[in-house]
């Protein structure tokens, strides 16, 4: 499976990787309301609540008892001045900085908001009145029509204050003692200054005003959500909070969207603030999130995921997801089998083989050998001459198909018709999982071929070749079927011509299964030089048209009335196809056949290209593909979330995305969303923008590790460039 071409190389320079730390209110704090959040120059974070000051601590929010006098004060608002906290109470504006000398008694009956300018020029707004102080001295006290101020901000360009109410914006000049309403609106909620504009949040979008003239520029409603609760200029970037999450305006005019429990405790944003070390603080009804932005290369991201993979995603050498008894609580995590343990393990193993080939890491080799032994045992336990089990577990601890999306009723019906799914091993200590599908075979042949090429030790390479041989022999000896313990073909392990050619040419399984079995046979012949495999392939080609099936362009695949396998595009088929094409193309029997196989693979890649999946791109590069969209692949890897918990995510409400009509490929929008804004899925899923679960599963990080190291192997990703 040697590298056939050198792809365009992405320079792996540090980018800002975002991730979230979340802090939740504890049980018993349900009646507590959170109002504001801020951070000071000492990196302290404080939250203002209906019960005083709070602070984040070990994923929770606790009462702040550091300054005992503040506990007894009725704090109604807080802000920051020169990097220090300043508080507004029902009696005064005060701070504990500057030796505690700042204390401005305001004499307002119902103070609500304050703003501070140079030299502690301070405006305090109450219900119906306001007061301006300079050098601790009152210089003007007056009133406005609307009695409920929302926000006060000092504009350094004009040297005047802006005061926002629900129905208007006021400009207040303390020096000339002039207050005027400069904009009338409805349902205004928030105020900030950004570039040359005044940005006002509303319950239905963002109103942008010219900063000098206050003339409306636009009402922007093409937002992830339009019910705006907060707007903030944070380090020059415009951030918006809403009742459905937070979002940041990008330079290209689109938004980075932070919503769901991947990012926030809940989606009802109350406040936003600049946090320590380049972070952004998002206060919500039930807690706060600290969105961190840290310089990171793709290689460093791979190191992060490798540690997680080894720490909590290895079960008997298999790659395993982690299930949790308590949502999001990794300490309650436990392992169980899946239907595709061999497939997921083969994908992690392939990544480690690529890592070894690139770095010669002994750790990568050890990890690869450990995973190989787990896969090797899949054919040893059944004692069915090369039949691979789906998984294995100690007797009495097996879970069953119903744990993987199938109902208990379905399992019982299956067992009634076909016998028990889990079979006892000869030593009666283990159970192995039957009903193996073609997905597993794809992973096995892909990674055993890779192992036979890249493993450094001949003894181990020979073991991989042995696995190729016995699994291929099983299929050939059983008339092109995976034959289960009960003497029946498994539901999906079928490559017999009667099955394959029973489908119309535009049903994907006809093309796919022909491709798979030819690739398996070519792989077996390549490594063993046993002519029976070549003869078997030639029989399928000449007598049953398998080359013709396999070489049809992917554009022929479409909907066929009455065919269950063609009601929509199957992304599991994509996964099987791309894992198979390196052997399908590179181990072709002739140059003429190789060219035809390559063109077929290219047609499939072209169909999938819009999804920007780096794994498809890099596997296509292994076949000789050029111009494989290296930048798009790197974008996918950069945007892949650091949090791999299966949180429920919904984008259906978004007004910044353009929907398209329901279609065969199940594509929802005109553009592919970045990975950290949509639900997590394996490489056998795509266009899944909504869904997810209750946070009781952490995906295994091989989803990132395989494409990253495949990209390094085909030189589509360069070595990290860190100064």
């Amino acid at each position: 499976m040697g590298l056939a071409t050198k792809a365009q190389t992405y320079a792996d320079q540090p980018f800002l990787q975002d991730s979230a730390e979340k802090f939740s209110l504890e049980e018993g704090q349900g009646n507590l309301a959170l109002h504001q959040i801020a951070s000071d120059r000492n990196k302290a974070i404080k939250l203002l609540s209906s019960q005083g000051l709070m602070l984040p601590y070990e994923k929770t929010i606790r009462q702040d008892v550091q300054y005992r006098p503040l506990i007894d004060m009725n704090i109604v608002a807080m802000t920051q001045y020169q990097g220090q906290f300043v508080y507004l109470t029902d009696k005064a504006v005060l701070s504990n900085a500057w030796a505690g000398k700042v204390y401005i008694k305001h004499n307002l009956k119902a103070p609500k908001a304050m703003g501070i300018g140079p030299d502690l020029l301070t405006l305090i707004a109450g219900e119906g009145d306001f007061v301006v102080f300079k050098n601790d001295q009152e210089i003007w006290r007056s009133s406005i029509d609307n009695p409920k101020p929302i926000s006060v901000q000092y504009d350094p360009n004009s040297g005047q204050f802006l005061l926002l109410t629900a129905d208007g914006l006021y400009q207040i000049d303390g020096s000339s003692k002039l207050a005027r309403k400069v904009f009338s609106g409805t349902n205004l909620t928030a105020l900030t200054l950004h570039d040359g504009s005044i940005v006002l949040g509303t319950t239905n979008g963002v109103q942008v005003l010219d900063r000098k003239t206050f003339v409306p520029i636009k009402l922007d409603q093409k937002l992830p959500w339009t019910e705006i609760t907060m707007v903030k200029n944070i380090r020059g970037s415009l951030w918006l909070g809403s009742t459905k999450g937070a979002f940041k305006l990008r330079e290209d005019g689109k938004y980075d969207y932070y919503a769901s429990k991947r990012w926030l405790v809940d989606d009802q944003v109350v406040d936003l603030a600049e946090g320590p070390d380049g972070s952004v603080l998002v206060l919500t009804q039930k807690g706060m999130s600290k969105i961190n932005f840290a310089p990171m290369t793709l290689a460093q991201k791979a190191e992060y995921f490798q540690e997680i993979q080894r720490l909590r995603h290895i079960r008997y050498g298999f790659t395993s997801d982690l299930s949790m008894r308590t949502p999001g609580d990794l300490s309650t995590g436990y392992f169980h089998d899946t239907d595709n343990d061999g497939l997921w393990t083969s994908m992690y193993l392939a990544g480690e083989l690529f890592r070894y080939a690139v770095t010669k890491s002994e750790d990568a080799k050890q990890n690869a050998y450990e995973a190989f032994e787990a896969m090797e045992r899949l054919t040893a336990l059944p004692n069915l001459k090369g039949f691979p089990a789906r998984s294995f577990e100690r007797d009495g601890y097996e879970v069953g198909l119903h744990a993987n999306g199938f109902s208990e009723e379905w399992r019982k019906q299956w067992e009634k018709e076909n016998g028990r799914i889990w079979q006892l091993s000869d030593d009666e200590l283990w159970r192995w999982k039957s009903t193996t599908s073609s997905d597993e075979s794809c992973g096995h042949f892909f990674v055993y071929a890779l192992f036979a090429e890249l493993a450094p030790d001949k003894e181990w390479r020979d073991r991989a070749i042995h696995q190729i041989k016995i699994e291929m022999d099983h299929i050939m000896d059983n008339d092109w079927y995976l034959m289960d313990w009960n003497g029946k073909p498994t539901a999906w392990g079928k490559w017999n011509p009667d099955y394959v050619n029973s489908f119309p040419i535009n049903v994907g399984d006809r093309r796919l299964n022909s491709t798979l079995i030819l690739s398996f046979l070519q792989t077996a012949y390549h490594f063993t030089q046993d002519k029976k495999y070549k003869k078997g392939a030639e029989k399928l080609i000449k007598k049953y048209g398998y080359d013709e099936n396999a070489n049809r362009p992917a554009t022929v695949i479409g909907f066929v009335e009455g065919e269950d396998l063609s009601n929509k595009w199957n992304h599991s088929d994509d996964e099987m196809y791309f894992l198979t094409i390196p052997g399908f193309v590179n181990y072709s029997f002739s140059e003429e056949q190789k060219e035809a196989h390559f063109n077929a693979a290219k047609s499939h890649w072209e169909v999938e290209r819009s999804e920007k999946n780096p794994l498809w791109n890099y596997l296509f590069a292994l076949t000789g593909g050029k111009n494989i969209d290296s930048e798009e692949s790197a974008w996918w890897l950069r945007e892949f979330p650091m949090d791999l918990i299966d949180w429920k995510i919904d984008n259906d409400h978004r007004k910044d995305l353009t929907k398209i009509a329901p279609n065969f490929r199940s594509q929802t929008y005109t553009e592919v969303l970045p990975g950290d804004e949509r639900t997590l899925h394996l490489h056998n899923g795509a266009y899944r923008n909504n869904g997810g679960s209750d946070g009781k599963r952490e995906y295994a990080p091989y989803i990132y590790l395989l494409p990253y190291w495949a990209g390094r192997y085909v030189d589509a990703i360069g070595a990290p460039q860190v100064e």
Side-chain angles (χ1 to χ4, degrees), residues 4-25:
T5 185
K6 182 174 181 178
Q8 182 182 358
T9 303
Y10 167 78
D12 189 15
Q13 298 176 332
F15 60 95
L16 285 181
Q17 175 66 60
D18 44 4
S19 62
E21 295 178 68
K22 289 166 286 185
F23 304 81
S24 303
L25 290 173

Side-chain angles (χ1 to χ4, degrees), residues 377-389 423-424 426 432-436 470-471 473-475 477-478 481-488 490:
R377 201 172 185 215
L378 290 172
T379 53
L381 283 175
N383 195 20
L384 290 175
K385 296 182 178 180
F387 178 87
Q423 295 297 304
L424 193 63
D426 290 345
W432 57 270
K433 197 171 192 176
S434 60
T435 73
T436 307
I470 64 173
E471 292 197 29
D473 287 349
H474 174 89
I475 295 170
D477 292 344
N478 287 284
Y481 291 114
L482 280 179
M483 197 65 70
D484 218 332
W485 62 272
N486 55 9
K488 298 179 181 180
T490 66

Side-chain angles (χ1 to χ4, degrees), residues 161-182:
F161 287 101
L162 296 173
L163 188 156
L164 182 71
T165 68
D167 67 357
L169 180 68
Y170 295 80
Q171 186 183 52
I172 298 175
D173 187 338
S175 300
S176 61
K177 299 183 179 181
L178 177 66
R180 64 189 183 110
K181 193 174 188 179
V182 294

Side-chain angles (χ1 to χ4, degrees), residues 49 136 158 170 176 188 204 242 259 289 305 390 430-431 440 509 517 520 590 658 681:
S49 78
D136 297 345
S158 65
Y170 295 80
S176 61
L188 304 178
N204 191 26
S242 76
S289 290
F305 284 132
R390 288 183 180 273
W430 296 83
R431 290 272 178 183
E440 298 296 285
D509 276 41
I517 197 64
F520 297 169
S590 68
T658 303
H681 56 73

Side-chain angles (χ1 to χ4, degrees), residues 440-458:
E440 298 296 285
S441 296
C442 286
H444 291 203
F445 279 92
F446 164 67
V447 82
Y448 291 150
L450 202 63
F451 200 99
E453 288 202 4
L454 299 181
D457 303 307
K458 185 178 184 304

Side-chain angles (χ1 to χ4, degrees), residues 115-118 120-124 130-135 137-142 152-155 158-163 170-180:
I116 301 178
L120 277 177
L121 178 67
T122 304
L123 186 149
I124 307 154
F130 63 86
V131 60
V132 180
F133 287 86
K134 185 175 183 179
N135 297 324
Q137 300 297 313
E138 180 179 325
I139 61 174
W140 183 33
R141 183 181 296 263
S142 186
V152 176
Q153 186 158 350
Y154 177 79
D155 184 356
S158 65
Q160 299 178 11
F161 287 101
L162 296 173
L163 188 156
Y170 295 80
Q171 186 183 52
I172 298 175
D173 187 338
S175 300
S176 61
K177 299 183 179 181
L178 177 66
R180 64 189 183 110

